[in-house]
Amino acid sequence: MKSSEIRQKFLDYFASKGHTVVASSSLVPHEDPTLLFTNAGMNQFKDVFLGFDKRPYTRAASSQKCVRAGGKHNDLENVGYTARHHTFFEMLGNFSFGDYFKRDAINYAWELLTVVFKLPKDKLYVTVYAEDDEAYDIWTKEVGLTADRVIRIGDNKGARYASDNFWMMGDTGPCGPCTEIFYDHGAHIPGGLPGTPEEDGDRFIEIWNNVFMQYNRDEAGVMHLLPKPSVDTGMGLERISAVLQHVHANYEIDLFQALINAAARETHCADMDSPSLKVLADHIRACSFLIADGVIPGNEGRGYVLRRIIRRAIRHGYKLGARAAFFHKIVPDLVEQMGVAYPDLAAAQNRVMEILKQEEERFFATIANGMAILEADLAEMDKAGGKVFNGDTAFKLHDTYGFPLDLTADICRERGVRVDEAAFNAAMANQKQMARSAGKFKMAANLEYAGAETTFHGYDTLEHKGNILALYKDGVAVNALHEGDMGVVVLDDTPFYAESGGQVGDSGELRSTQGIFAVEDTQKIQAAVFGHHGVVKTGTLTVGNGVNAKVDVAARTRTVRNHSATHLMHKALREVLGTHVQQKGSQVDADKTRFDFVHTQPMTDAEIRNCSAKNMVMWCAC
């Protein structure tokens, strides 16, 4: 049974049981800042479980694309070296939102595995939470498993709810016991049953986890029964495919074999057992799906994780002998395998290939020099018997040749060497400090200020009374500024907007009975302390003076209008170029607006005209 058939049979089975089949959500979680990437089938239903969202159905099933390659959930280092670690995988899941509970969930799982998929019953073992007598009785008294095949898992040392078989969404909130189903791959493979000292072996492999959300844990750690207990399950498509295709490792299933063959074709590799081919087969999935969902290679956040995965793939291709862009040529093979189940991937094929090709060409331009430095240092270390790679060199590879730290660590790991990460981090911190020192920051962050914060009134009024809290001349605190002096004024209350989010600071005037100060710019000294930069036009300003702060209304109005234009431009660009376009910066003042964004190539004249036309239509509508 092909992986595509297994996926469909799973969804069809639960559809026959009254479940609504829900399409996979994007790998980029929307409105969930706690996640870097979607990493489980339940992510898109999180608000439903928490009671913040209500769907028109109470039963759902899905095949969710997931990535675990950054943040808390990061399997990147293990990919290619183990049988089951991936950056990208598919999670099959069925969910009940206050509908059915343990009995139905357990019976559905058992029927699907033993009747639909026809797995031998004597190959299946289950675990339950040690205190979950209800689940234990369902397995032994209703399903009919013997007691030796139902294993209670828990901590008998007093730490309740500290177990692999008790799932918690977080320190507080919905939680509950689990029952996991394991498949026995055979006595010829080392490993023991769950709960034994040999449980980390590869003989007994978990294929399905049923989570029974029946409690709400409060801040005191007290468990309260939920009024509507729910079910959240997950079964890795790759794992169940390995079982049903009678192979042990995920990389031996049909889907991966097709991609491994494609990687071997593009790298001219004859060793079909090479771990590097497994890396390429895994990484093409993660990279392609991430790009299809709008992630672009970059230097921060999701874009940086994508770039790391791409460069790790290129390094493994380089290891196999590739000396020019090759990785993007595997995309059509992936689309052939998964494009029917994920039509968004098929639709984005050309864009995915183009972005990967561009990234490859950039990195291939420097990888040879970087690899030469790395190999030379490793050869010297091998002669001297060293086991710790120089952190400064690792930083040079990162800074000059684009080698992410984990890529250098990956190469070193193959030689039994670790990287001095402390030295790497110190070099990184030193570079950042030098950049800060060299930069000409108008924020005047070096001003020593320990007074009260500034209250901003500029959203409601452009004129407001304030008192002078501090004065600075040439970066030094002074008690007074005199006519002709350039300096910085800190007020307790101000209508002046301090530069933020790409919008420049306000200009205008501070007027007291003793003097007039022309404000040329407004910057933040600290997060909530505003510095008014300018010159004394007449008289003297003294700490403690009261002033009337008045913003240049015409300049503010033009600036606000230009700020609005950036949002309209963002929308127009996404409509013309695609939803992958994201704002990466801007500069807005009274005369102009500049909008920074990432795209795969320079815009054509036609695209620029199209964007301008759409922007004009939206502007008129506003």
Side-chain angles (χ1 to χ4, degrees), residues 11 21 26 30 32 38 41 79 109 121 150 227 271 282 290 294 305 309 321 342 353 395 439 501 536 595 620:
L11 297 175
V21 176
S26 170
H30 295 292
D32 188 349
T38 298
V79 173
K121 296 179 181 179
V150 183
D271 179 11
D282 171 272
L290 284 170
V305 175
I309 300 173
Y342 298 99
M353 291 183 69
F395 178 74
V536 180
F595 184 86
C620 292

Side-chain angles (χ1 to χ4, degrees), residues 435-611:
R436 281 193 293 267
S437 299
K440 296 180 180 180
F441 290 102
K442 291 191 295 181
M443 284 180 64
N446 59 331
L447 297 182
E448 295 184 3
Y449 179 81
E453 295 181 345
T454 302
T455 301
F456 176 61
H457 302 275
Y459 290 133
D460 304 316
T461 180
L462 297 185
E463 186 173 354
H464 201 279
K465 301 293 184 183
N467 296 296
I468 298 176
L469 299 178
L471 296 170
Y472 296 89
K473 181 180 179 180
D474 297 327
V476 178
V478 294
N479 190 54
L481 290 175
H482 306 286
E483 186 171 332
D485 284 347
M486 299 184 65
V488 180
V489 180
V490 178
L491 302 179
D492 57 355
D493 293 275
T494 185
F496 282 75
Y497 180 85
E499 181 174 323
S500 179
Q503 180 171 320
V504 299
D506 281 333
S507 58
E509 184 180 82
L510 306 180
R511 185 181 290 265
S512 75
T513 56
Q514 285 79 33
I516 300 173
F517 184 84
V519 179
E520 298 172 355
D521 191 13
T522 308
Q523 298 283 330
K524 291 182 179 179
I525 294 175
Q526 297 171 10
V529 179
F530 292 17
H532 305 73
H533 297 239
V535 60
V536 180
K537 291 173 63 178
T538 61
T540 299
L541 264 65
T542 305
V543 174
N545 281 165
V547 298
N548 184 57
K550 185 176 182 179
V551 174
D552 183 329
V553 177
R556 166 76 86 85
T557 301
R558 294 197 303 271
T559 301
V560 169
R561 185 168 59 240
N562 285 339
H563 195 155
S564 298
T566 64
H567 295 289
L568 297 177
M569 180 57 67
H570 190 190
K571 180 173 175 58
L573 286 165
R574 287 172 67 88
E575 289 184 1
V576 173
L577 302 181
T579 56
H580 65 280
V581 170
Q582 297 178 8
Q583 182 176 346
K584 295 297 181 182
S586 66
Q587 184 178 32
V588 181
D589 58 30
D591 301 316
K592 64 185 180 302
T593 181
R594 190 197 76 221
F595 184 86
D596 306 334
F597 67 97
V598 174
H599 185 44
T600 58
Q601 58 194 16
M603 292 178 68
T604 65
D605 288 342
E607 288 171 337
I608 293 172
R609 285 195 298 271
N610 197 359
C611 273

Side-chain angles (χ1 to χ4, degrees), residues 306-327:
L306 173 59
R307 174 164 284 167
R308 287 168 55 199
I309 300 173
I310 295 172
R311 294 191 171 183
R312 189 172 189 265
I314 295 170
R315 199 281 294 189
H316 279 276
Y318 189 91
K319 185 179 178 182
L320 296 177
R323 293 297 180 268
F326 71 95
F327 191 48

Side-chain angles (χ1 to χ4, degrees), residues 34-36 39 68-75 168-171:
T34 67
L35 288 175
L36 186 65
N39 58 32
R68 291 184 179 176
K72 177 181 177 182
H73 301 283
N74 185 4
D75 291 337
M168 293 186 286
M169 187 177 288
D171 293 335

Side-chain angles (χ1 to χ4, degrees), residues 232-264:
D232 160 26
T233 86
M235 175 164 61
L237 174 63
E238 294 80 6
R239 290 195 182 193
I240 190 61
S241 295
V243 170
L244 293 173
Q245 294 176 16
H246 308 293
V247 296
H248 181 245
N250 292 359
Y251 290 98
E252 298 172 26
I253 67 175
D254 63 318
L255 195 159
F256 273 110
Q257 284 298 297
L259 298 177
I260 286 172
N261 288 333

